[in-house]
């Protein structure tokens, strides 16, 4: 789990930052302890295809707070374009769109930090690269494994398959919208 970026079906990218610390992998009674990993969570490139540009971030969770999987950590205000239909010559018709997107915790974790640069200037900072992260979390390896098992955390290959299926559905929906 550590090292390689992972993805969520809702287009977040999870990048492990630190490997588990070795000294406390067992308790004083000899029972195995769960190791913690720090991860940075941001938007995957595909998210920008769906929402456009992030214009503002409203932080809802505080640093140090434990959050549950699916809990909203912050809200992203976005602006972009949406495909509305195709005309009689099969040209795509686009419309301006704005909205809010909940940015949720991909697993049970503790909020470690928010990217202050992203909060101050999301339009120029939030992106699919390493520097465009939004929140850093502290999560146990067992929580990450559970998220993988439940399909809430995907490998790059699995994520590509999800994106391909979503694209096919969006194309079919656009075709159905044609009068």
């Amino acid at each position: 789990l550590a090292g390689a970026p992972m993805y969520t079906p809702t287009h977040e990218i999870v990048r492990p930052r630190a490997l588990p610390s070795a000294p406390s992998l067992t308790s004083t009674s000899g029972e195995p302890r769960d190791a913690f990993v720090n991860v940075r969570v941001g938007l995957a490139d595909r998210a920008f295809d769906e929402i456009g540009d992030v214009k503002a971030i409203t932080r809802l969770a505080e640093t140090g707070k434990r959050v549950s999987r699916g809990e909203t950590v912050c809200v992203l205000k976005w602006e972009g374009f949406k495909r509305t239909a195709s005309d009689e010559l099969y040209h795509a018709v686009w419309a301006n769109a704005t909205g809010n997107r909940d940015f949720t915790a991909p697993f049970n974790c503790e909020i470690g930090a928010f990217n202050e640069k992203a909060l101050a200037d999301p339009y120029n900072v939030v992106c699919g690269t390493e520097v465009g992260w939004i929140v850093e979390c502290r999560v146990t390896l067992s929580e990450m494994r559970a998220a993988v098992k439940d399909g809430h955390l995907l490998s790059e290959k699995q994520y590509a398959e999800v994106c391909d299926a979503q694209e096919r559905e969006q194309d079919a929906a656009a075709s159905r919208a044609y009068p």
Side-chain angles (χ1 to χ4, degrees), residues 15 37 46-47 50 67 78 93 109 126 145-146 149 154 163 167 175:
R15 289 187 173 96
V37 176
R46 172 76 177 174
E50 296 203 357
V67 293
W78 58 267
V93 178
C109 60
V126 176
R145 285 186 193 104
K149 183 178 178 187
L154 310 169
C163 290
E167 240 176 77
S175 294

Side-chain angles (χ1 to χ4, degrees), residues 61 65-69 71-73 105 107-111 137:
K65 180 183 179 193
R66 289 233 13 109
V67 293
S68 300
R69 177 172 39 181
E71 186 175 337
T72 302
V73 173
F107 29 63
N108 299 332
C109 60
E110 179 182 308
I111 302 299
C137 305

Side-chain angles (χ1 to χ4, degrees), residues 1-8 11-19 37-46 48 103 106-107 115 125-139 144 153-154 156 159:
L1 289 176
M6 301 195 78
Y7 301 85
T8 68
H11 309 296
E12 288 86 19
I13 186 167
V14 177
R15 289 187 173 96
R17 299 287 300 158
L19 295 174
V37 176
N38 291 327
V39 297
R40 286 188 173 169
V41 185
L43 293 175
D45 287 333
R46 172 76 177 174
F48 297 99
F103 190 83
F107 29 63
N115 183 344
V125 176
V126 176
C127 60
T129 68
E130 186 94 25
V131 297
W133 62 278
I134 296 171
V135 65
E136 186 169 281
C137 305
R138 185 173 184 239
V139 60
M144 288 185 73
L153 203 52
L154 310 169
E156 189 169 357
Y159 179 66

Side-chain angles (χ1 to χ4, degrees), residues 13-118:
I13 186 167
V14 177
R15 289 187 173 96
R17 299 287 300 158
L19 295 174
S21 52
S24 61
L25 292 180
T26 58
S27 68
T28 53
S29 66
E31 293 294 313
R33 269 197 197 149
D34 205 356
F36 285 92
V37 176
N38 291 327
V39 297
R40 286 188 173 169
V41 185
L43 293 175
D45 287 333
R46 172 76 177 174
F48 297 99
D49 293 342
E50 296 203 357
I51 66 171
D53 299 319
V54 177
K55 297 295 188 174
I57 301 173
T58 303
R59 189 164 115 169
L60 300 179
E62 294 301 318
T63 301
K65 180 183 179 193
R66 289 233 13 109
V67 293
S68 300
R69 177 172 39 181
E71 186 175 337
T72 302
V73 173
C74 59
V75 176
L76 311 177
K77 180 176 173 53
W78 58 267
E79 293 179 3
F81 298 96
K82 293 287 181 184
R83 183 175 177 180
T84 58
S86 298
D87 66 14
E88 63 278 357
L89 297 175
Y90 301 103
H91 297 113
V93 178
W94 298 88
N96 289 336
T98 60
N100 293 317
R101 180 190 192 275
D102 288 348
F103 190 83
T104 61
F107 29 63
N108 299 332
C109 60
E110 179 182 308
I111 302 299
F114 281 87
N115 183 344
E116 294 299 329
K117 290 179 182 177

